[in-house]
Structure formats: C-alpha cells, structure tokens
Amino acid sequence: MILDCVVIGGGPSGLSAALVLGRARKNIILFDEDKPRNAVTQESHGFITRDGIKPSEFKKVAKADLIKYPNISLHNQRVVDIKKENNYFLIYSADGNTYQSRKVILSTGLKDVLPSIKGINKFYGTSVFICPFCDGWELKDRALVVIGEDERIFHLTKLISNWSKDIIVCTNGNTVLTADQKQLLLSKKIAVTESEILSLEGVDGNLKRVLFKNGKEIVRDGGFMVTGLEQASSLAEKLGCLIKKNGGIDTDEFGRTSVEGVYASGDNSLSTSPQLITAASEGSKVASRVILDLIDEDF
C-alpha cells in the first residue's frame, strides 16, 4: 500500500500532525524513535489543560488519541533512510522494513549542545534550564545564574529578569558582551563575570554553587543557559533539503521544504520558540497543508 504521508518524530509536532492527517482520512504512519529532546525534563509547562504534565505522560495521552483512528499506525522504530523515487518516497526503518509514501513530514526536532562545564549535566532539567517560558515560574525570585558563551546571553538575561531580579551573568571566559550591554546590566543590578567556570556543584540536581578556575565561587539556587543546537536527524540532509545558515531546515510558511513532497514541522526549522504548544501548532498547520496539497493533486 502507498501511504498518503509518513510522519517522522513523535514529539508534540509529529503527534499533532498525525492527528490532523488521520482525521482527514489519510493513511499514515507515525515513526517514533522515542529519544526526545526533553528527556531530562520532569514537567512540561505552558500547554493549556496539560500544564505540569510529565513529557512521557503527555506522549501517552496523545498516542491514546491517535490509536482511535484505524488509518493511523504507530511504529516505534527509527527511520534510517529516505529516498525519493519518481513521485514517491521510500522510507527505510531500522527493523529492515521499507514503506512507500506520497508525502513526508520531518518532525525530528533538535538536540541541545550544552556548554562544556563540569557537572552541568547533573542540573540540566532539574534546576538549570534553557527556556524561561517553560520553567521561569518555578525559579521565580530565586538567586539565578545565566550561563552563555556567545552574544545570545544578553537577550536571555533580559528575559530572565522578568522572573527574578537576583541574576549573575557568567560568560565562562568569553568576552561576548559589549561595553554598553555591561553598563546596562550593571544599571539593573545584574552582575557580570567573565571568569572561566570550573564546575557546578549541588545536591540531588539542585544547584548550590558555581565554582571558577580563579578560586572564586558564587551561591545560586538555579539558572538558565544558552545552548548550541543541532539537527537530531540527518534525514533532511540526506533528502537534499536546503538548510538555513542557522542550521534549521529551510521551509516556506506552510512547512514545505526545498524538496517537493517533504515538509518540516516543529523545532527543526529553528523558526519558532521551543515550546510544546508552538510545536503542536506547527504540526497542525503543516499537516493541514499536506492535506490540501494531496487534495489538489487528486481533485
């Protein structure tokens, strides 16, 4: 059987896309390797009716919605390759099976590249986060550190100031702030240290101290950090999709990539904020475009 669409990635974007496609009576498969970007996250926030839900529970509830539709199949498999053959796509899964589909939605997401700081992994997702919209409320009014190694740290610090006024900025040995930016932060009583960080210390995932290589230390209750981002999957590159300078998959406003029949939704385009609700919205929008394109082809 030739599928109408294959959705690759079982995050909020892929799940949402699968639901919209299924309700449009399209025969689809959702492939989910189950290696989410938010694997370390204890709670997900900002999604109305699901605020504070565990990511694993969110996925469980979402898949329960999908299995009600007989035209939606869920495969817990990794897609290892995709090839375009005439007007169709051949999808190869890790278990050795091959599928044929008219359209493909890549909802493969991103991977965070953390600063190379000893101990940072112990606190990532419990007391040190990357998104203030997702976790700012939980750290409100606490003594926070903002860690970043490039110019994005200034914007992140401005955001964090909405939730706490007790902030220390650490650039980990890098000179990335302009003199004007430093002066502005100082006027807001936000300290800046450019000393290189030795390690982060704390107990049971709760940050307590930031230690520097010059022997100094600061006491902090939590924090936020600027991370690097890279594609979680190489499938877009294998398909020949155009990649933007920032590393995101290049798409039009409807999620169409440079390869006809291939769409991208969610974080992987690096065009939306990394929140569950925006990713789910992206999935719905892109799936709607796929449905319209299929209808136009068949009408």
Side-chain angles (χ1 to χ4, degrees):
M1 179 182 71
I2 298 176
L3 297 160
D4 293 305
C5 188
V6 160
V7 182
I8 304 172
S13 185
L15 292 164
S16 180
L19 179 62
V20 173
L21 287 161
R23 287 183 53 79
R25 307 182 69 184
K26 301 306 175 187
N27 292 309
I28 73 163
I29 293 178
L30 171 67
F31 286 95
D32 179 19
E33 188 182 3
D34 201 23
K35 291 185 177 180
R37 178 183 178 187
N38 63 354
V40 300
T41 303
Q42 308 300 308
E43 295 180 349
S44 295
H45 295 280
F47 200 118
I48 193 69
T49 77
R50 292 292 183 268
D51 189 53
I53 193 171
K54 287 186 176 182
S56 58
E57 181 64 19
F58 180 90
K59 180 175 285 190
K60 179 181 177 181
V61 173
K63 287 188 174 181
D65 287 342
L66 297 182
I67 61 174
K68 295 184 294 187
Y69 299 91
N71 48 320
I72 300 176
S73 295
L74 306 179
H75 289 204
N76 294 323
Q77 283 290 328
R78 180 168 61 96
V79 172
V80 295
D81 200 7
I82 305 176
K83 294 179 181 178
K84 189 169 187 181
E85 190 174 87
N86 299 319
N87 294 323
Y88 301 98
F89 295 91
L90 296 176
I91 295 92
Y92 303 88
S93 60
D95 60 0
N97 288 315
T98 303
Y99 305 85
Q100 197 170 16
S101 180
R102 296 172 64 185
K103 307 291 184 185
V104 172
I105 297 179
L106 300 174
S107 296
T108 44
L110 299 168
K111 291 191 296 185
D112 291 299
V113 181
L114 306 188
S116 298
I117 298 172
K118 182 181 178 182
I120 200 166
N121 287 289
K122 296 178 182 178
F123 308 102
Y124 176 42
T126 52
S127 59
V128 178
F129 304 95
I130 60 174
C131 173
F133 294 105
C134 304
D135 301 290
W137 176 266
E138 284 65 39
L139 294 185
K140 64 183 185 297
D141 298 326
R142 295 190 184 184
L144 303 180
V145 62
V146 180
I147 299 171
E149 299 174 336
D150 61 42
E151 68 281 355
R152 292 176 295 163
I153 194 172
F154 182 71
H155 176 68
L156 180 59
T157 302
K158 286 174 63 178
L159 282 178
I160 302 306
S161 70
N162 180 74
W163 285 271
S164 175
K165 303 304 179 185
D166 187 352
I167 299 172
I168 297 178
V169 173
C170 296
T171 65
N172 194 25
N174 298 281
T175 304
V176 294
L177 295 169
T178 66
D180 287 343
Q181 288 173 333
K182 290 179 185 178
Q183 185 59 43
L184 180 55
L185 292 174
L186 184 62
S187 72
K188 301 294 183 181
K189 298 182 179 180
I190 297 174
V192 176
T193 175
E194 295 177 333
S195 301
E196 196 170 351
I197 298 171
L198 175 65
S199 65
L200 304 185
E201 292 190 354
V203 179
D204 296 330
N206 296 307
L207 181 67
K208 297 299 180 184
R209 291 180 301 279
V210 180
L211 278 60
F212 298 91
K213 290 187 176 180
N214 60 11
K216 295 182 179 181
E217 66 176 65
I218 56 174
V219 176
R220 298 283 90 183
D221 298 326
F224 290 85
M225 60 181 166
V226 177
T227 66
L229 293 170
E230 60 184 32
Q231 291 290 332
S233 168
S234 62
L235 292 174
E237 185 178 356
K238 287 181 178 180
L239 281 162
C241 297
L242 185 63
I243 304 297
K244 296 181 290 187
K245 288 183 179 179
N246 67 358
I249 301 172
D250 191 31
T251 69
D252 66 10
E253 60 182 314
F254 302 112
R256 297 187 185 105
T257 72
S258 59
V259 177
E260 187 175 357
V262 179
Y263 305 72
S265 72
D267 296 349
N268 58 15
S269 66
L270 281 171
S271 59
T272 59
S273 58
Q275 299 180 67
L276 261 68
I277 199 161
T278 52
S281 175
E282 275 278 301
S284 177
K285 179 184 72 174
V286 173
S288 297
R289 185 70 258 175
V290 170
I291 293 162
L292 291 172
D293 288 347
L294 287 168
I295 290 172
D296 284 343
E297 291 173 12
D298 295 339
F299 193 75

